[in-house]
């Protein structure tokens, strides 16, 4: 099995690259954010620890975690963000490890905007950094998610710098 990690900033176009790898090269795609979402579902591994750490105020009526509410809590508080990451990263890491045991052959691509900060970069045969000019990222995020320029700037500021991404990448696309 060959494992490629793909990272890049929000709005960089990682999803487009993943679609090509999946459709044209039959790669198995693992998106860390999707895995984290699944692990936050009621009864899943991260759910109880997140509720204990952040309280019932983050729950929707159906007892699912309201991610935008949780995001507002952690986005401006490094300590709370670190706490959330300590819960989710460990469980996402275990899920990725488990997948590697179940799929011993073929091409596996793991995508995460936080690949570098989470320490995942050490487990890949190659690490691709998807580079996109900042103005293009702004255009994409305004069009696809309706974000304001202020929100986009805040999101970009919370991510690794371009230099950090490039310093560990084996390939820059």
């Amino acid at each position: 099995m060959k494992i490629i990690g793909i990272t890049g900033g929000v709005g960089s176009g990682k999803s487009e690259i993943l679609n090509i790898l999946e459709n044209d090269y039959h790669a198995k795609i693992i998106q860390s954010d999707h895995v984290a979402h699944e692990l936050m579902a009621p009864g899943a591994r991260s759910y109880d620890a997140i509720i204990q750490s952040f309280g019932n105020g983050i729950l929707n009526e159906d007892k699912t975690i309201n991610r935008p509410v949780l995001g507002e809590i952690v986005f401006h508080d490094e300590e709370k963000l670190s706490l959330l990451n300590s819960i989710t990263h460990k469980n996402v890491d275990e899920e990725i490890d488990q997948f590697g045991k179940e799929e011993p052959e073929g091409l596996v691509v793991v995508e995460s905007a936080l690949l570098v900060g989470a320490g995942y970069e050490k487990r890949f045969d190659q690490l691709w950094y998807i580079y996109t000019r900042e103005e293009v990222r702004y255009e994409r995020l305004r069009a696809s998610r309706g974000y304001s320029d202020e929100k986009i700037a805040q999101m970009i500021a919370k991510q690794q710098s371009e230099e950090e991404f490039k310093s560990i990448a084996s390939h820059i696309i």
Side-chain angles (χ1 to χ4, degrees):
M1 172 172 52
K2 183 161 189 106
I3 302 176
I4 296 173
I6 291 190
T7 194
V10 62
S12 64
K14 295 180 299 289
S15 296
E16 294 173 38
I17 301 297
L18 295 176
N19 286 336
I20 292 168
L21 291 169
E22 183 175 37
N23 295 325
D24 295 350
Y25 297 94
H26 310 290
K28 173 62 180 170
I29 306 298
I30 302 171
Q31 291 181 280
S32 297
D33 198 40
H34 291 174
V35 173
H37 289 198
E38 291 170 6
L39 293 172
M40 293 170 73
R45 261 196 284 192
S46 297
Y47 182 82
D48 288 338
I50 292 171
I51 302 306
Q52 289 172 353
S53 298
F54 298 98
N56 290 332
I58 64 169
L59 294 176
N60 293 312
E61 287 183 24
D62 64 358
K63 301 296 183 198
T64 58
I65 293 174
N66 185 318
R67 288 182 47 86
V69 169
L70 179 59
E72 285 301 316
I73 292 170
V74 302
F75 194 69
H76 301 289
D77 186 324
E78 289 296 323
E79 189 174 307
K80 290 180 181 175
L81 179 59
S82 180
L83 174 60
L84 178 62
N85 286 341
S86 73
I87 296 167
T88 58
H89 287 178
K90 176 182 178 260
N91 291 332
V92 169
D93 204 32
E94 289 174 4
E95 287 291 314
I96 292 171
D97 280 344
Q98 186 60 39
F99 177 79
K101 292 173 185 170
E102 295 170 2
E103 298 285 337
E105 296 181 15
L107 176 61
V108 175
V109 179
V110 178
E111 178 274 328
S112 177
L114 298 174
L115 220 86
V116 177
Y120 298 138
E121 71 272 14
K122 296 175 182 81
R123 47 176 45 203
F124 304 120
D125 297 307
Q126 296 179 2
L127 180 61
W128 297 1
Y129 167 56
I130 310 304
Y131 167 77
T132 304
R133 291 185 331 268
E134 194 168 288
E135 62 268 17
V136 173
R137 294 168 64 191
Y138 271 77
E139 289 173 24
R140 286 181 174 169
L141 292 167
R142 282 192 297 258
S144 68
R145 300 184 189 173
Y147 290 162
S148 68
D149 286 355
E150 181 181 347
K151 181 169 178 102
I152 296 168
Q154 289 173 346
M155 292 172 71
I156 289 173
K158 291 284 186 184
Q159 294 187 319
Q160 287 87 22
S161 70
E162 184 177 315
E163 292 76 28
E164 288 175 297
F165 280 127
K166 288 180 176 179
S167 71
I168 53 94
S170 58
H171 296 75
I172 299 171
I173 298 175

